[in-house]
Amino acid sequence: MHPPMSVKVKIINDPVYGFIRFPEPELMRVIDHPWFQRLRNIKQMGLAHLVYPGATHTRLAHSLGACHLVGKALDELKAKDIVPDKDECVAARLAALLHDIGHAPFSHSLENILVGVHHETLSRLIMQRMNSEFSGMMDKTIQIFDDSNSKGSNPGTGGKYYLHQLVSSQLDVDRMDYLNRDSFYTGVSEGVIGYDRILQMLTVRDNELMVEEKGVYSVEKFIIARRLMYWQVYLHKTVLGSEMLLINIFNRAKDLVKKGRKLFATPALNYFLNNHLSEDDFKNNPEHLDRFCELDDNDVMVSIKVWQAHDDKVLSTLCKMLVLRKLYKVLLSSESLASILEDKKKVAKDLLGLNDEDLQYFAFTGITSNSTYNINDELIKIETKNGAIKNITEIDNSLVNQTLARAVHKNYICYIQ
């Protein structure tokens, strides 16, 4: 038992859901923690605001939203006499609140280059450190996040796998919130989903989360909305190009640092430019995690702003392109684009007068992909009216068929002109 904590009920006015409540003192201890507050300074959608100017919302707002949706889901399950105890409800809410706490700045772009450790691993390490600071308050939270409660647990053994599924699955509160929130802030209405309908249709069978048959169409809309948002927003060609530009900036910066060149950086960013860390490094030396939790978008952008004046022509040009929004031109195609790469490199060479080795920063090809619904992952299950359990792909006249579930790959070329 933990000593009682006298904290007032916190009510936050969220533009997506309206007033959302955080009555649990455990949640407020975490929300007020500096490591959670750091998420105010990390944009949820990275550089997407260069295409959709309103997309400047933060990972903190998304985390609060995901926590709110878990609360709504648990209320529905309680109404159906699927009753996790109070501690489990708080733990599930905390798991949703902290599911993104390990994100680096511009995470999906810079995670591998700047930090080298997956954000879920860092989230787990941060939870463990916070749990120690809070005297074990988050033991169950870490179990839910880790899925240490086995999927096959029998009722009464303490395993609540469905709580993990609420936080991490193909129909979780993370995806529900980011689709709704990203749609709201970008103005792309294709991402709007009936999250409230889905939450009301949730049920549990054999310790697994599933959806009542009445909610099938809402789930199908959710999956299709995700597909549309990926191609229209997350993998929009200009968003893709801006992310590749950021990646190239840091590839160049790290290359210069390796060669002993002086490079301005904030203390937090400098630490990761000069240290190449592994998961074991983070586990064995707590200083790495402390430094990571000082790092946010501000460190990245202020350094890029200064690097515009660096004497390395490649770095300065790339940084000016990002700051001034003179981004790569991008072509997407189902066909290979390798045949036009040399022509694009020649244009870059004529424009910038660079040597052949450095042209890779200004004309290059790659492949991007979008998997709307992964049939090799844990499937969304539907409880039919007669009590049978089916995967959503097996429902009569299902929109989520093999074609929709197949990953779509597209070739791209980024270049300047």
Side-chain angles (χ1 to χ4, degrees):
M1 292 290 291
H2 303 289
M5 294 169 277
S6 58
V7 179
K8 291 180 180 178
V9 173
K10 189 75 171 179
I11 299 175
I12 294 173
N13 190 355
D14 181 82
V16 178
Y17 307 117
F19 291 106
I20 56 180
R21 293 166 56 85
F22 297 88
E24 306 93 334
E26 296 90 343
L27 263 66
M28 289 313 305
R29 290 184 75 183
V30 170
I31 288 171
D32 288 339
H33 195 284
W35 287 2
F36 184 78
Q37 288 294 314
R38 160 184 171 269
L39 298 181
R40 287 188 186 279
N41 295 315
I42 296 182
K43 291 186 183 72
Q44 173 70 18
M45 295 182 68
L47 292 166
H49 66 281
L50 295 176
V51 178
Y52 300 97
T56 56
H57 53 297
T58 66
R59 289 204 175 269
L60 183 140
H62 163 61
S63 298
L64 295 175
C67 179
H68 167 69
L69 292 184
V70 163
K72 298 278 285 182
L74 292 171
D75 287 345
E76 294 295 339
L77 295 180
K78 287 177 192 173
K80 296 172 183 176
D81 294 326
I82 303 163
V83 188
D85 65 37
K86 182 180 177 183
D87 285 350
E88 288 170 332
C89 289
V90 172
R93 293 250 284 163
L94 282 169
L97 189 69
L98 292 170
H99 77 282
D100 268 359
I101 199 166
H103 271 286
F106 305 99
S107 179
H108 299 296
S109 300
L110 296 186
E111 184 171 271
N112 292 327
I113 297 171
L114 201 53
V115 183
V117 179
H118 194 272
H119 66 268
E120 283 192 9
T121 299
L122 293 171
S123 292
R124 185 176 298 107
L125 292 173
I126 290 171
M127 287 186 204
Q128 290 168 352
R129 283 278 296 276
M130 292 174 77
N131 190 40
S132 176
E133 183 179 330
F134 293 144
S135 306
M137 181 185 84
M138 291 162 51
D139 285 344
K140 285 187 178 179
T141 298
I142 294 169
Q143 287 177 356
I144 290 169
F145 181 80
D146 276 349
D147 178 32
S148 23
N149 291 318
S150 133
K151 181 175 179 178
S153 295
N154 295 316
T157 64
K160 297 283 171 58
Y161 183 68
Y162 64 87
L163 294 178
H164 169 77
Q165 289 177 294
L166 278 175
V167 176
S168 180
S169 68
Q170 292 205 79
L171 188 67
D172 59 23
V173 294
D174 174 32
R175 295 182 186 191
M176 284 187 213
D177 182 81
Y178 78 59
L179 285 174
N180 258 334
R181 192 169 299 277
D182 296 351
S183 174
F184 179 91
Y185 281 99
T186 58
V188 177
S189 60
E190 285 84 353
V192 174
I193 60 168
Y195 71 91
D196 47 352
R197 172 76 173 168
I198 295 172
L199 295 177
Q200 288 170 14
M201 294 297 110
L202 292 178
T203 189
V204 174
R205 281 274 300 274
D206 299 327
N207 202 27
E208 285 192 76
L209 195 68
M210 52 195 66
V211 180
E212 295 172 4
E213 190 173 3
K214 293 178 289 185
V216 164
Y217 300 128
S218 295
V219 175
E220 288 181 336
K221 184 167 188 267
F222 163 84
I223 292 170
I224 291 167
R226 189 164 179 262
R227 178 189 181 91
L228 295 174
M229 284 291 284
Y230 262 87
W231 287 123
Q232 193 161 340
V233 178
Y234 308 128
L235 295 177
H236 182 288
K237 65 177 185 176
T238 309
V239 174
L240 173 65
S242 64
E243 289 176 351
M244 295 308 300
L245 179 56
L246 184 64
I247 288 169
N248 275 340
I249 287 170
F250 275 87
N251 278 331
R252 186 65 174 189
K254 293 203 84 166
D255 187 50
L256 292 174
V257 169
K258 280 182 192 173
K259 292 175 179 175
R261 298 284 295 275
K262 288 193 70 174
L263 209 62
F264 167 86
T266 64
L269 181 59
N270 188 62
Y271 191 83
F272 289 95
L273 284 175
N274 286 279
N275 288 286
H276 308 284
L277 305 174
S278 67
E279 183 176 330
D280 286 340
D281 291 329
F282 273 94
K283 288 178 178 177
N284 296 329
N285 185 347
E287 182 186 2
H288 300 321
L289 200 61
D290 290 330
R291 292 298 186 98
F292 174 79
C293 290
E294 295 171 0
L295 189 65
D296 60 38
D297 288 5
N298 295 324
D299 297 277
V300 170
M301 291 312 300
V302 74
S303 300
I304 287 174
K305 186 177 177 182
V306 172
W307 293 345
Q308 291 178 99
H310 197 273
D311 59 8
D312 179 76
K313 186 173 183 179
V314 171
L315 182 65
S316 63
T317 302
L318 292 171
C319 292
K320 286 173 186 174
M321 287 170 63
L322 186 63
V323 172
L324 301 175
R325 201 191 175 279
K326 305 295 184 184
L327 307 173
Y328 295 128
K329 301 298 180 184
V330 182
L331 292 177
L332 287 169
S333 174
S334 56
E335 306 297 327
S336 172
L337 294 164
S339 60
I340 62 173
L341 179 59
E342 289 308 314
D343 287 342
K344 300 302 182 185
K345 282 187 175 180
K346 185 177 184 306
V347 171
K349 186 170 187 175
D350 291 343
L351 285 171
L352 300 174
L354 298 171
N355 61 48
D356 290 345
E357 183 184 351
D358 290 339
L359 294 177
Q360 63 180 314
Y361 291 102
F362 299 96
F364 54 90
T365 58
I367 299 175
T368 188
S369 64
N370 170 20
S371 179
T372 304
Y373 181 74
N374 188 349
I375 57 174
N376 298 315
D377 199 353
E378 180 182 64
L379 301 175
I380 297 173
K381 294 187 176 179
I382 305 297
E383 183 183 57
T384 64
K385 291 172 184 175
N386 63 12
I389 307 300
K390 293 185 177 182
N391 294 326
I392 193 166
T393 53
E394 300 168 341
I395 296 294
D396 290 342
N397 302 313
S398 174
L399 286 174
V400 188
N401 52 31
Q402 295 289 326
T403 302
L404 186 62
R406 191 178 300 124
V408 178
H409 303 281
K410 287 190 179 181
N411 300 291
Y412 66 82
I413 183 168
C414 298
Y415 60 95
I416 61 170
Q417 65 180 30

